[in-house]
Amino acid sequence: IFYGDIATRYQAEDNYLGTLFGALNQLDCGVTTLLDYSHNIRTLEQAERSVDALVDAGLRAVYFHGDGL
């Protein structure tokens, strides 16, 4: 596997920061609405922090989650 076990090392705050930076970048590029398919969710806290980041960024988003490895 190309990524090894890196997915298992992500914590809730990593999800928050990655989602926030990505969402802010999209706003900077002129995107105001997006679908976030978050595919490395292993805990409820990770999902909640990802949604928190979308809200904090202030853009319209639909959140979908997928299981982490």
Side-chain angles (χ1 to χ4, degrees):
I1 297 175
F2 181 75
Y3 295 108
D5 68 344
I6 196 166
T8 63
R9 298 175 188 266
Y10 275 75
Q11 300 300 313
E13 205 59 22
D14 298 317
N15 286 83
Y16 176 83
L17 292 173
T19 301
L20 180 64
F21 294 153
L24 292 174
N25 180 64
Q26 291 303 303
L27 283 171
D28 187 54
C29 292
V31 175
T32 60
T33 305
L34 64 83
L35 181 142
D36 177 9
Y37 175 66
S38 188
H39 56 82
N40 185 36
I41 301 300
R42 293 174 295 109
T43 68
L44 177 60
E45 184 182 13
Q46 284 180 309
E48 289 173 340
R49 292 302 286 151
S50 294
V51 172
D52 290 343
L54 294 171
V55 171
D56 291 349
L59 81 163
R60 292 173 295 219
V62 176
Y63 177 81
F64 285 88
H65 81 282
D67 293 335
L69 299 174

